Amino acid sequence: GDSVTQMEGPVTLSEEACLTINCTYTATGYPSLFWYVQYPGEGLQLLLKATKADDKGSNKGFEATYRKETTSFHLEKGSVQVSDSAVYFCALTSDNYGQNFVFGPGTRLSVLP
Amino acid sequence: SQTIHQWPATLVQPVGSPLSLECTVEGTSNPNLYWYRQAAGRGLQLLFYSVGIGQISSEVPQNLSASRPQDRQFILSSKKLLLSDSGFYLCAWSVWGTSTEAFFGQGTRLTVV
């Protein structure tokens, strides 16, 4: 079945450092890929998405590129802020009826001032 | 615009008591609906999903059940809670017939004592 693998962390960075959270996937067909962010005590919010190969999703300074050849969707940000501290989930769906979302285990990011 | 409401936000229940968590979606029709559970420090576990009224698919056998009595209402229930049912429960919806993103509610923190 479909699966998502991502580094579990925790990842601890200083403010203004560069961030990369790796995500790789296995899926049948052509999945859509997502990054979600979860702040403490809250639900998941969509951060960015990409629906086909070579698409780049971007939002709030974060970006990720859909790499079909390496089956990857790594999350990057050039300069993190304390407010970026959260848990980040990589996810996919390869079902055209939206019945099957698969999430990675989540990566906890802590940014220190 | 579409919104998702999930309640209650927090709940403390004794072992053996019943459970009912409710989720409603506004601003869309015939959504896919999902219940996820997130144990402390863990990833997301899909419990149930529904593609229509009365249509429920269970992903994990346990003492929980789900019902969809109306198009935009999804209820998670239990007749007798176990300590292991403690966790963060998230409701989500997505557009039927597409591979677009899922939208999450704010979650319910359930503590079974």
Side-chain angles (χ1 to χ4, degrees), chain B residues 59-107:
Chain B
E59 293 295 302
V60 182
Q62 56 212 323
N63 72 320
L64 298 172
S65 63
S67 62
R68 184 170 177 172
Q70 300 180 43
D71 182 42
R72 291 168 289 175
Q73 184 185 29
F74 205 25
I75 298 172
L76 182 69
S77 303
S78 174
K79 292 182 179 178
K80 289 186 177 181
L81 284 169
L82 306 172
L83 286 174
S84 58
D85 291 324
S86 293
F88 193 51
Y89 288 82
L90 291 159
C91 182
W93 73 274
S94 69
V95 178
W96 186 91
T98 70
S99 57
T100 57
E101 62 269 31
F103 301 91
F104 285 81
Q106 288 300 294

Side-chain angles (χ1 to χ4, degrees), chain A residues 14 37 76:
Chain A
S14 297
V37 58
E76 299 176 327

Side-chain angles (χ1 to χ4, degrees), chain A residues 32 36 38 49 96-98 101, chain B residues 32 34 38 97-98 100-102:
Chain A
S32 294
Y36 284 85
Q38 184 181 33
K49 67 179 180 182
N96 285 336
Y97 295 94
F101 282 89
Chain B
N32 296 315
Y34 312 84
Q38 187 177 27
T98 70
T100 57
E101 62 269 31

Side-chain angles (χ1 to χ4, degrees), chain A residues 39-83:
Chain A
Y39 299 102
E42 297 185 7
L44 276 67
Q45 301 174 26
L46 179 68
L47 182 59
L48 53 83
K49 67 179 180 182
T51 58
K52 60 182 187 296
D54 300 325
D55 270 1
K56 176 185 284 189
S58 61
N59 185 25
K60 299 181 180 180
F62 291 89
E63 58 183 34
T65 302
Y66 189 142
R67 302 288 189 196
K68 188 171 184 294
E69 64 277 10
T70 55
T71 61
S72 65
F73 192 54
H74 304 322
L75 182 67
E76 299 176 327
K77 187 174 187 183
S79 176
V80 295
Q81 306 300 311
V82 172
S83 56

Side-chain angles (χ1 to χ4, degrees), chain B residues 6-76:
Chain B
Q6 186 181 343
W7 68 93
T10 60
L11 192 59
V12 180
Q13 291 284 95
V15 169
S17 64
L19 172 73
S20 180
L21 302 181
E22 190 162 341
C23 172
T24 59
V25 180
E26 295 177 356
T28 188
S29 296
N30 195 30
N32 296 315
L33 295 170
Y34 312 84
W35 278 111
Y36 288 89
R37 177 168 60 197
Q38 187 177 27
R42 305 288 296 276
L44 292 163
Q45 179 186 38
L46 178 63
L47 302 176
F48 302 95
Y49 71 87
S50 172
V51 299
I53 296 174
Q55 300 179 62
I56 310 293
S57 295
S58 173
E59 293 295 302
V60 182
Q62 56 212 323
N63 72 320
L64 298 172
S65 63
S67 62
R68 184 170 177 172
Q70 300 180 43
D71 182 42
R72 291 168 289 175
Q73 184 185 29
F74 205 25
I75 298 172
L76 182 69

